[in-house]
Structure formats: C-alpha cells, structure tokens
C-alpha cells in the first residue's frame, strides 16, 4: 500500500517516524538464524512484534508530535488475535492510545511486492487490512483511508488533516 515509502517521505520532511516492527523483527531473526519468522513460527513472530510495538509506543512519547507509525501495537494485537484467538486486553488498548485520526492505506495491487522480509501474498494483505479496518473504529479511532495517489499527494493529504486536528 506504499506505507513505508510514505513514512520515509514524512521523515525526510522532519517528522518523527517509527519503522514497521515486523520488518525489524524479520531482519533480526534472519541475521541471527532465529525462527520467529512469519513463515516459520508466526505466533512467536507476532509476540515479538507486539513487544517491539509496545517499546516503540513508549519510546515515541519522548519524540516531538506528531509521530507517525508504520504499524502500531493494535496491528500486532489484531494479528495475534487472528492467529490464537487471544483478544487484546481492553486495558492495554485504553492505556496505550494513539492519536486520532488513524490513516489506513488500502491494499494497492500496483504497489504490492513480496520481498525477503514480506513473503505473504496480496490476498493475505487484503485480509489483514479488513481486520484492521474493523478493529480501529471498534477501539474508538477515527479512520481516514489514504487515497491511491502519488506519494506527494498522500503526504499533502495527511499533513492537511494532521494540522487541522
């Protein structure tokens, strides 16, 4: 959906950004020969990204607002719930609140690519997106869908909405 490219552009503009925990965990596991990888042990992988997302959230509190996250603790918790039926603790969702609005990037087939860190297919990306699109509003977040336009137009779209909130 172009989230990482958009986040890189936000960082280039001087905003604080937090890289996707999943990609960081995959890199660490591949470098160390670990097995907490989505294609080997998906549950261990999601538990690691959950812990990393919690640490990211806490670390971001010391950064100047706004802080843009490629993925959040909610994304990780919803993935864990999908794999294990373990519901996200409601107190966790209440204690670790992200700012509104939440921008969601719908799956975009023309931008979707698998690589060494992301081996899932487009159908899996759509299913994950559908789970997140349902979860965020259920947790009280205002969701804004990013339009399928150029990176510069997406950047302007976000900044216009962040500055007015």
């Amino acid at each position: 959906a172009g989230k990482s490219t958009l986040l890189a552009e936000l960082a280039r503009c001087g905003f604080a950004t937090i890289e996707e925990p999943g990609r960081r965990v995959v890199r660490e596991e591949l470098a160390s020969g670990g097995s907490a990888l989505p294609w080997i042990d998906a549950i261990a992988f999601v538990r690691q990204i959950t812990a990393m997302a919690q640490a990211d959230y806490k670390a971001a509190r010391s950064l100047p607002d706004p802080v843009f996250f490629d993925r959040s603790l909610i994304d990780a918790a919803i993935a864990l719930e999908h794999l294990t039926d373990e519901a996200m603790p409601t107190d966790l969702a209440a204690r670790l609140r992200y700012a509104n609005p939440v921008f969601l990037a719908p799956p975009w087939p023309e931008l979707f690519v698998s690589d060494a860190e992301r081996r899932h297919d487009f159908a899996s990306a759509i299913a994950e997106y559908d789970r997140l699109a349902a979860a965020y509003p259920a947790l009280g977040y205002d969701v804004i869908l990013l339009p399928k336009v150029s990176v510069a137009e997406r950047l302007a779209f976000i900044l216009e909405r962040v500055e007015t909130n």
Side-chain angles (χ1 to χ4, degrees):
K3 293 184 317 299
S4 298
T5 301
L6 182 56
L7 218 67
E9 188 64 16
L10 285 161
R12 192 188 67 70
C13 291
F15 293 100
T17 61
I18 307 294
E19 183 187 4
E20 179 183 344
R23 285 191 177 270
R24 289 181 281 156
V25 169
V26 167
R27 281 194 302 268
E28 290 172 5
E29 291 296 296
L30 289 174
S32 69
S35 62
L37 295 161
W39 53 89
I40 295 175
D41 187 345
I43 294 172
F45 169 73
V46 172
R47 290 192 192 286
Q48 282 199 23
I49 64 172
T50 300
M52 187 176 282
Q54 284 182 358
D56 288 346
Y57 179 91
K58 291 174 184 171
R61 293 166 74 187
S62 66
L63 298 172
D65 285 335
V67 177
F68 294 94
F69 292 79
D70 190 322
R71 294 278 188 168
S72 76
L73 174 60
I74 294 164
D75 296 50
I78 296 304
L80 187 61
E81 182 176 325
H82 172 69
L83 292 172
T84 67
D85 291 327
E86 293 177 28
M88 177 174 33
T90 53
D91 68 314
L92 183 64
R95 280 186 294 113
L96 304 179
R97 293 288 300 172
Y98 294 84
N100 265 315
V102 170
F103 296 96
L104 282 183
W108 194 347
E110 293 81 6
L111 297 183
F112 183 84
V113 291
S114 292
D115 57 35
E117 295 172 0
R118 179 179 47 211
R119 297 183 183 178
H120 64 275
D121 60 16
F122 190 67
S124 298
I126 291 170
E128 179 184 30
Y129 169 79
D130 289 343
R131 288 189 295 273
L132 295 175
Y136 277 99
L139 292 168
Y141 288 96
D142 299 322
V143 173
I144 297 176
L145 299 182
L146 291 174
K148 293 180 178 179
V149 294
S150 72
V151 175
E153 290 170 299
R154 281 182 163 200
L155 178 65
F157 180 88
I158 288 172
L159 295 180
E160 180 179 296
R161 280 142 187 88
V162 169
E163 292 173 355
T164 62
N165 287 311

